[in-house]
Amino acid sequence: MPSIQEEIEVQGLKVGGEFNVRKKMLLWLTISSGFLLIILILSFWLSNDHLRLNATNKNLAPSLGHLFGTDWLGRDMLTRTMKGLRLSLAVGAFASLISVIIATVMGICAATFGKAVDAVISWIIDLFIGMPHLVFMVLICFIAGGGIHGIVLSISLTHWTALARIVRSEVLQIKSAEYIQISRSYGKSPWYIARKHIMPAIFPQIMIGFLLMFPHVILHEAALTFLGFGLSPQTPAIGIILSEAMSHISTGKWWLVVFPGLLLVVVVKCFDSIGEQLRILLEPASSNE
């Protein structure tokens, strides 16, 4: 049998290993958040004067004066990329917020208003999931008349389904909890129970769902603008930048695609990393693992 000293050493190694894993998670969380913060700061700090047409600076390769080079109209690609990412982040935040609100309302209603409402909402969720994402978004954006509001509306109405199922299952588990039954026995209203008991219990899932929704929203915003739905060509959006650059790749202007596309992938990965790390830190089961 192992001695007490050996058991203490083994426990110490386990605690130290868990501490190192938690430190790595916090480090990745800090790095990802810091990178996104830098992008936001640069997007506000860089002047709009760099977006003006400049015939003398057309098609310049990356250099110290223009880190990302310039496009065929002499516009600075670093400025265009940063401001396009800021637009993607703004659209992502607003569309994700609307999607989270829809998912929360639908999930709570499905779990609390009886089998008939649950069946209807579950059918709606299956209907939305069965539709091809991009086709559905293009259709909604076209019906809404395009523009930034059309993009936000199309993304918001197609990204709530997965979170709604999670909220529904969480509420169904919470409903049978003893403290909920005690609160009902004291005559508390359903609104009071939802506000004081249900919402605080499902808030971590809602917040994690909001963060994990961000990567999908940003990619779909870029896809819609790439296809020409929504924004004018003068708007510095990542999708528009990539779409315009496609006709110049064959002429050797690689920087027009590489830098915007690479930063878009990094931003998406940062949000995915933030959501995943927070999910592990906030969920007890994952945290213990």
Side-chain angles (χ1 to χ4, degrees), residues 14-28:
K14 288 181 179 179
V15 173
E18 292 175 359
F19 181 69
N20 289 333
V21 170
R22 187 172 291 271
K23 282 204 304 184
K24 288 180 182 179
M25 291 166 55
L26 292 174
L27 178 62
W28 278 112

Side-chain angles (χ1 to χ4, degrees), residues 12 35 89 161 166 209:
F35 181 79
L89 293 175
T161 51
I166 295 173

Side-chain angles (χ1 to χ4, degrees), residues 138-238:
V138 169
L139 179 62
I140 295 173
C141 190
F142 181 77
I143 294 174
I148 194 68
H149 62 279
I151 293 177
V152 172
L153 183 64
S154 63
I155 295 174
S156 302
L157 294 179
T158 55
H159 285 73
W160 58 272
T161 51
L163 184 58
R165 282 183 166 178
I166 295 173
V167 171
R168 173 184 172 274
S169 63
E170 289 292 330
V171 175
L172 286 174
Q173 292 180 358
I174 296 169
K175 269 176 49 178
S176 58
E178 186 176 354
Y179 65 94
I180 298 288
Q181 303 301 327
I182 294 173
S183 185
R184 283 194 184 128
S185 67
Y186 278 103
K188 299 297 183 181
S189 65
W191 168 247
Y192 178 90
I193 294 174
R195 183 166 51 92
K196 291 293 186 178
H197 300 309
I198 295 179
M199 284 303 297
I202 65 175
F203 180 76
Q205 286 77 12
I206 293 174
M207 186 177 68
I208 293 169
F210 172 80
L211 290 173
L212 291 177
M213 201 181 294
F214 242 106
H216 302 279
V217 171
I218 292 174
L219 286 175
H220 284 131
E221 179 270 336
L224 287 176
T225 53
F226 180 85
L227 293 173
F229 291 92
L231 304 178
S232 64
Q234 291 76 25
T235 305
I238 293 297

